[in-house]
Amino acid sequence: MAASVRSILAMRHRVFYGWRMVAAAFCNQIMQSSLLFLSQGFYLLQFEAAFGWSRGAVSGAFGLLRIETGLLGPVQGWMLDRFGPRLPMYLGTFLFGSGFILLGLIQELWHLFAALTVIAIGTSFASFLTINTAIAHWFVRKRARAMSVTSIGFASGAVVAPVIAWSITTFGWRETAIFSGILSFCIGFPIAQLFRRSPRELGLNPDGDNDEDAARHAAARRAAGTDYDFTVREAIRDRSFWLVSSGHGLALLVVATVPLHLPGHLKDNDWDLVHAAFVFPGLMVAQIVGQVSGGFMGDRYSKSMLAGAAMLGHGMGIGILALSTSVPAVVLAIALHGVAWGMRGPLMMALRADYFGLRQLGKIAGWSNIITATGSIIGPIYAGWMYNAQGDYTFAFLSLGTVTIVGSLTFFLARRPPLPARARAARAS
């Protein structure tokens, strides 16, 4: 018995701590996506029925989930580089859960805006930027793979989305929202405790390498000129900062619009709410296919080329949804969009880390968030307004798909930045 316990403990210590952080991030993303991102469309329909608020007005309120993310980006990036990921994770979890409890108590439209503002700040501090910045410090050679596993957690939230839809229709949206807030406290705080700033805190090397392998890989990066850490000013001066940020934002036109407006689009075309919810597990399967393949290919091939190809899938997917809601059309559209999302999503922070280094990655990604958040704000609000004006989503979805397909050029034109003048001078001396 004692021998078996020692064996288990030894195995535990052999598991690289970075993968434990990936597992924690995986669970965090399940919570974020199931309770919020993939459930917002169900809440929209409930608010429309309960209060008579238009989809355009509610879409504007949900747009706050992205506005705060963009505005907070520079502050959050500074916090990450200064204090590490744990403090933002704790703060974000507290605000995320508190916002859901407030959401369950709303009576007026401005209450919805206030509650979603709190949720938005919380999800900003405890989600994508914080998690992926932390993981980028723990992995170099396996960075895309680690981030793809994290993203699979976000996709896996689709398994819970039908449960949220069932809870809303069975117990009510108020009860579901309040319970979601309490649940997020119970899950989020233990997850936050597991996050660490870098492997050096625990006497480890990136990717779990031993000292000899770590030194060899570091020497190879120096020889290839890929180990330089850009400052924020140097990154912003390079065109690839703007191309990657713009491409990411254009992808979010579709990514943010689909979960908010697809349930209503299907309901308008004679799907019931619970059946519409089962579209999201299909989206999950497609995302996981994209994440697994994108994670391995991203560590071997051009991340920017893969991201550009994924943009084509986003655009074609939402275009098909605009033209048909038959079961085969929806399956094809969700497959295209899901694989594209799964492949592109994990590459965004990995691409920035590859291009600009780690020292100021939080700040660089934070400033980039101001640009990327624009797409996730405009897409859902635009679709809601067009629905109010035209009575359906056909033109909104087609136009968003067209813009996204054209936006693939941003990734196809991106390339690793040349070393800044300061770095070239230092290497020459």
Side-chain angles (χ1 to χ4, degrees):
M1 179 68 178
S4 63
V5 170
R6 284 195 298 271
S7 176
I8 292 172
L9 291 175
M11 184 179 297
R12 178 184 175 188
H13 287 293
R14 284 198 297 270
V15 176
F16 176 49
Y17 193 87
W19 290 113
R20 298 185 202 176
M21 284 180 51
V22 168
F26 179 94
C27 296
N28 172 277
Q29 293 294 273
I30 290 178
M31 178 183 73
Q32 293 267 344
S33 90
S34 63
L35 298 184
L36 175 63
F37 194 77
L38 297 178
S39 299
Q40 55 187 315
F42 309 138
Y43 282 108
L44 182 150
L45 296 175
Q46 295 299 312
F47 298 152
E48 184 181 45
F51 300 107
W53 300 334
S54 72
R55 292 189 191 180
V58 178
S59 298
F62 276 104
L64 288 172
L65 295 173
R66 287 92 191 179
I67 292 173
E68 273 77 10
T69 298
L71 295 178
L72 287 171
V75 176
Q76 186 180 353
W78 172 83
M79 286 182 65
L80 287 168
D81 290 339
R82 178 69 176 82
F83 302 107
R86 192 183 295 181
L87 176 62
M89 288 291 292
Y90 276 128
L91 177 61
T93 298
F94 173 76
L95 293 173
F96 184 78
S98 299
F100 263 104
I101 293 172
L102 292 174
L103 183 66
L105 303 175
I106 64 171
Q107 298 291 340
E108 305 288 344
L109 184 59
W110 74 266
H111 296 168
L112 175 63
F113 276 81
L116 289 178
T117 297
V118 177
I119 293 174
I121 297 172
T123 195
S124 178
F125 277 114
S127 192
F128 179 85
L129 179 58
T130 298
I131 286 172
N132 284 285
T133 300
I135 290 173
H137 283 80
W138 283 80
F139 296 91
V140 178
R141 293 177 294 104
K142 302 174 183 177
R143 184 174 287 151
R145 271 171 280 183
M147 291 182 179
S148 73
V149 173
T150 299
S151 296
I152 290 173
F154 196 90
S156 299
V159 174
V160 187
V163 178
I164 301 298
W166 170 81
S167 177
I168 288 173
T169 56
T170 303
F171 301 108
W173 60 268
R174 292 187 185 277
E175 292 78 3
T176 301
I178 292 171
F179 178 76
S180 295
I182 296 170
L183 183 64
S184 67
F185 291 149
C186 297
I187 296 173
F189 287 128
I191 286 173
Q193 178 64 26
L194 293 173
F195 276 78
R196 298 289 188 276
R197 182 194 297 267
S198 72
R200 288 187 298 275
E201 286 190 0
L202 301 181
L204 301 172
N205 297 307
D207 298 302
D209 290 338
N210 58 41
D211 291 342
E212 181 180 344
D213 287 340
R216 178 164 51 83
H217 293 310
R221 290 192 295 271
R222 284 193 298 272
T226 60
D227 66 330
Y228 183 75
D229 292 314
F230 281 63
T231 65
V232 174
R233 186 184 299 272
E234 289 167 343
I236 289 176
R237 287 176 176 173
D238 187 83
R239 72 176 191 181
S240 288
F241 172 87
W242 299 96
L243 288 170
V244 172
S245 300
S246 299
H248 192 176
L250 291 170
L252 295 184
L253 287 172
V254 176
V255 170
T257 298
V258 167
L260 182 59
H261 290 290
L262 182 57
H265 181 52
L266 296 178
K267 182 174 180 291
D268 292 343
N269 287 275
D270 301 322
W271 289 57
D272 67 64
L273 186 61
V274 174
H275 287 161
F278 278 96
V279 169
F280 292 116
L283 179 64
M284 174 199 72
V285 172
Q287 277 185 272
I288 291 174
V289 171
Q291 285 155 350
V292 172
S293 59
F296 281 96
M297 288 191 294
D299 286 331
R300 291 167 173 78
Y301 306 110
S302 169
K303 294 180 177 66
S304 61
M305 293 295 105
L306 291 171
M311 291 282 282
L312 301 178
H314 285 309
M316 289 187 290
I318 197 170
I320 292 171
L321 289 173
L323 299 175
S324 176
T325 56
S326 67
V327 172
V330 171
V331 169
L332 176 60
I334 289 300
L336 286 169
H337 172 55
V339 170
W341 186 6
M343 180 176 292
R344 179 198 51 77
L347 299 178
M348 296 297 90
M349 189 64 78
L351 193 59
R352 293 184 180 99
D354 287 356
Y355 281 4
F356 304 116
L358 297 176
R359 188 178 300 277
Q360 295 193 20
L361 178 61
K363 296 188 186 76
I364 292 168
W367 282 101
S368 180
N369 259 20
I370 296 177
I371 302 168
T372 62
T374 303
S376 59
I377 296 165
I378 292 174
I381 294 176
Y382 168 76
W385 285 349
M386 293 304 296
Y387 178 86
N388 287 347
Q390 299 187 338
D392 61 44
Y393 290 105
T394 302
F395 181 79
F397 283 8
L398 280 175
S399 54
L400 289 173
T402 301
V403 170
T404 303
I405 289 173
V406 174
S408 65
L409 291 173
T410 57
F411 287 114
F412 290 136
L413 294 173
R415 84 286 182 261
R416 183 183 294 277
L419 292 176
R422 176 169 64 90
R424 292 197 301 270
R427 288 178 184 273
S429 62

